[in-house]
Amino acid sequence: LNTSDTTTIPDTFTWSEDSKVSHQDVVGAVKSLLVDAYITADEITANFFELTSEGEQIIKDGSQEIAVLKCVLEAGADGIGMGDLQTKVGKNVAKIGMGNCMKAKWIGKAGANLVPKVDAVPEDEVQDALKALSAGSSDVDGKVVQNLKRRKLISPVTRKSYKVSRGPSYAPVRVKKAADLTKEMLDSGAWQTTPFKSYNFLTLGEKVGGGYLHPLLKVRAEFRKILMQMGFQEMPTNKWVESSFWNFDSLFQPQSHPARDAHDTFFIKKPAETVSVPDDYYERVKEMHEKGGGGSIGYRYNFKKEEAFKNLLRTHTTAISSQMLYKLANQEGGFKPQRYFSIDRVFRNESMDATHLCEFHQVEGLVADYNLSLGDLIGTIETFFNKIGITQLRFKPAFNPYTEPSMEIFGYHPDLKKWTEIGNSGMFRPEMLQPMGLPENVRVIAWGLSLERPTMIKYRIKNIRDLFGHKVEMARTRAAPVCRFDTVGTVAEA
């Protein structure tokens, strides 16, 4: 472009071939120079066909059908067997060539042999067409081209190149424009002659990408707000490792219970045991297990300290509930009625599938007050589920080691059109409460549910692994709407 104002590069591809420069590098340079208006460029699009390796072989040796026909004609009127043909031209050539010869009616079958139906070898149209396309000809018949594409002898190629001319800011030597005004430029006066990049003061800049709350956290925040509106106080649940004493023994769960086996619980190897538990409380719990009290006969077994002191990943947040109730019973000034809740992670050694993981979030609520009854428990549960939009409830008798009576909670799923289990509940047993030191007429009602199940229902997620874990799509997290539960009237059945 230096030679004159009217000099152009008609085609960068041809120019790069002549200059022995990679066309890809030339295109990169063109795009870079366009930014500063050193040049102008018009795009050129060229469509042509490129021969495959099989097509190149046909140009060299001829088409498969011609090779097969020659062998059949050489064999004479008696023809040639398929085995002999494959030996002469090769298995692949024989297969392709025979099919095309039969289609063109050049050969036929006489028993097991292939016999000629023509007297001479015709012009090799396939080879001629490939030669023409290789030379850049555009006169090849369209049907022939389609046949060559079907046989995968050619492949279409689109090549883009540019016609390049001088631009409004053209200069023989490119000078890099400065992006910033520096102190050194001001001190030396170089800013007066230095070219600067233009600034767009009206642009808003690139959109800032912020963090997004996970759907579980959105539902958790809504549950937390609802429970606080109901007068509940959040329990500190930031300790995932608990002792077996608080996780099982304080709940009057026997040391022989199947849930305490390694195939159901994750035990900690190091440190394997807790340091201490309240001594007086430990003795009372031990006595309740071994001998009973308050009308209970206990479990009548030898309570082992080494079993109680084992560390584990908590299997439920009720391990925190038992500690909070112990503190409530032994606080300064004596017992005072209280409502507690927690929403945090728990761990179970379970087989993972579409609805189960080894870790999940448990929502738990409890009320400790004088002379509570099963009716208070049902009423509290109805109020909570009413606030999250579950209007139809049923309660079914169940068994839990540390609650009596116990109830499973079922809710009607409008999408599935069936009743599904959504939680568990009950009244803590006297054998659990008495060793804590709570007054005799204090009752504790409690219920729990997972956070994942209502979240999956709310966001129409079928597989729990699409909600929680390493397979979760970040796009789904960004697009998840704000969680809101509408309060509606309650319909309940006991």
Side-chain angles (χ1 to χ4, degrees), residues 132-176:
L133 291 174
S134 179
S137 173
S138 57
D139 297 332
V140 181
D141 183 77
K143 289 184 179 180
V144 175
V145 171
Q146 289 300 319
N147 181 50
L148 296 177
K149 284 170 66 178
R150 182 182 58 78
R151 291 179 63 174
K152 296 182 180 179
L153 301 178
I154 58 173
S155 57
V157 177
T158 299
R159 184 184 67 217
K160 291 186 178 180
S161 56
Y162 296 91
K163 177 184 177 183
V164 181
S165 306
R166 287 187 180 188
S169 300
Y170 175 79
V173 179
R174 185 179 188 180
V175 179
K176 189 176 181 180

Side-chain angles (χ1 to χ4, degrees), residues 315-326:
T315 61
H316 46 201
T317 52
T318 317
I320 308 298
S321 302
S322 62
Q323 295 175 55
M324 295 302 293
L325 288 172
Y326 173 75

Side-chain angles (χ1 to χ4, degrees), residues 20 48 180 222 250 317-318 373 389:
K20 293 182 171 54
F48 57 94
D180 299 301
E222 189 69 9
S250 64
T317 52
T318 317
S373 68

Side-chain angles (χ1 to χ4, degrees), residues 95-117:
K95 180 181 177 182
I96 297 171
M98 185 191 74
N100 290 327
C101 282
M102 298 282 279
K103 188 176 179 181
K105 298 182 179 179
W106 292 348
I107 63 174
K109 272 197 170 185
N113 287 352
L114 299 172
V115 295
K117 286 189 173 183

Side-chain angles (χ1 to χ4, degrees), residues 81-345:
M82 191 64 183
D84 293 335
L85 179 64
Q86 289 178 351
T87 302
K88 285 191 173 184
V89 299
K91 190 173 182 179
N92 193 47
V93 171
K95 180 181 177 182
I96 297 171
M98 185 191 74
N100 290 327
C101 282
M102 298 282 279
K103 188 176 179 181
K105 298 182 179 179
W106 292 348
I107 63 174
K109 272 197 170 185
N113 287 352
L114 299 172
V115 295
K117 286 189 173 183
V118 293
D119 298 327
V121 177
E123 190 74 23
D124 195 339
E125 294 181 358
V126 172
Q127 187 184 46
D128 293 343
L130 288 173
K131 285 180 178 179
L133 291 174
S134 179
S137 173
S138 57
D139 297 332
V140 181
D141 183 77
K143 289 184 179 180
V144 175
V145 171
Q146 289 300 319
N147 181 50
L148 296 177
K149 284 170 66 178
R150 182 182 58 78
R151 291 179 63 174
K152 296 182 180 179
L153 301 178
I154 58 173
S155 57
V157 177
T158 299
R159 184 184 67 217
K160 291 186 178 180
S161 56
Y162 296 91
K163 177 184 177 183
V164 181
S165 306
R166 287 187 180 188
S169 300
Y170 175 79
V173 179
R174 185 179 188 180
V175 179
K176 189 176 181 180
K177 294 182 178 180
D180 299 301
L181 180 65
T182 65
K183 178 180 180 297
E184 289 74 20
M185 290 180 185
L186 294 172
D187 291 342
S188 64
W191 63 273
Q192 299 179 55
T193 56
T194 300
F196 287 91
K197 289 182 178 180
S198 57
Y199 284 88
N200 183 358
F201 294 101
L202 300 178
T203 185
L204 297 176
E206 189 175 351
K207 185 179 179 181
V208 177
Y212 298 87
L213 285 177
H214 190 277
L216 277 174
L217 292 179
K218 293 179 181 180
V219 176
R220 181 187 183 277
E222 189 69 9
F223 276 17
R224 190 170 178 268
K225 182 177 74 174
I226 289 170
L227 287 162
M228 285 183 168
Q229 288 173 351
M230 292 174 65
F232 284 79
Q233 177 183 333
E234 190 166 13
M235 294 186 284
T237 55
N238 55 350
K239 188 171 66 170
W240 290 356
V241 176
E242 286 290 352
S243 66
S244 294
F245 177 79
W246 288 112
N247 196 82
F248 295 122
D249 297 320
S250 64
L251 305 179
F252 195 59
Q253 192 161 331
Q255 293 185 341
S256 60
H257 196 280
R260 302 178 71 150
D261 293 338
H263 64 266
D264 285 322
T265 302
F266 291 110
F267 288 94
I268 306 298
K269 286 187 177 180
K270 189 176 181 181
E273 293 188 352
T274 188
V275 177
S276 65
V277 296
D279 293 333
D280 56 340
Y281 180 47
Y282 171 83
E283 291 300 328
R284 294 196 297 270
V285 169
K286 177 182 177 182
E287 184 176 355
M288 184 61 74
H289 278 251
E290 291 182 341
K291 301 177 183 178
S296 172
I297 62 172
Y299 290 116
R300 297 184 176 184
Y301 70 97
N302 185 23
F303 189 87
K304 296 178 181 179
K305 184 176 182 179
E306 59 270 20
E307 187 68 31
F309 273 48
K310 285 182 180 179
N311 281 333
L312 49 79
L313 289 175
R314 67 183 180 210
T315 61
H316 46 201
T317 52
T318 317
I320 308 298
S321 302
S322 62
Q323 295 175 55
M324 295 302 293
L325 288 172
Y326 173 75
K327 290 178 182 178
L328 191 64
N330 297 276
Q331 67 184 348
E332 191 174 338
F335 170 80
K336 292 179 182 177
Q338 186 59 270
R339 300 180 181 189
Y340 290 125
F341 83 93
S342 65
I343 307 174
D344 212 333
R345 198 173 298 185

